[in-house]
Amino acid sequence: MSSQVRFNGDPAATAATAAELGEAGAELAIVYLPPPYTPAVLEPLATALGQLP
């Protein structure tokens, strides 16, 4: 199963949502970055996602 996770500007909240989906059986989460986000959001988001178990 896969799912989309919408990035709302809070990397920790986005990672928590991805973790919840993983616990529900998702094997793939696609993070949707709605405009006007810039590449600057990627590092904090990657850090938060990288801390997931």
Side-chain angles (χ1 to χ4, degrees), residues 18-34:
E20 289 172 8
L21 289 169
E23 291 171 5
E27 296 176 359
L28 174 69
I30 300 165
V31 178
Y32 174 69
L33 301 171

Side-chain angles (χ1 to χ4, degrees), residues 1-34:
M1 174 173 88
S2 65
S3 183
Q4 290 186 351
V5 178
R6 184 178 180 91
F7 179 64
N8 65 0
D10 182 350
T14 302
T17 300
E20 289 172 8
L21 289 169
E23 291 171 5
E27 296 176 359
L28 174 69
I30 300 165
V31 178
Y32 174 69
L33 301 171

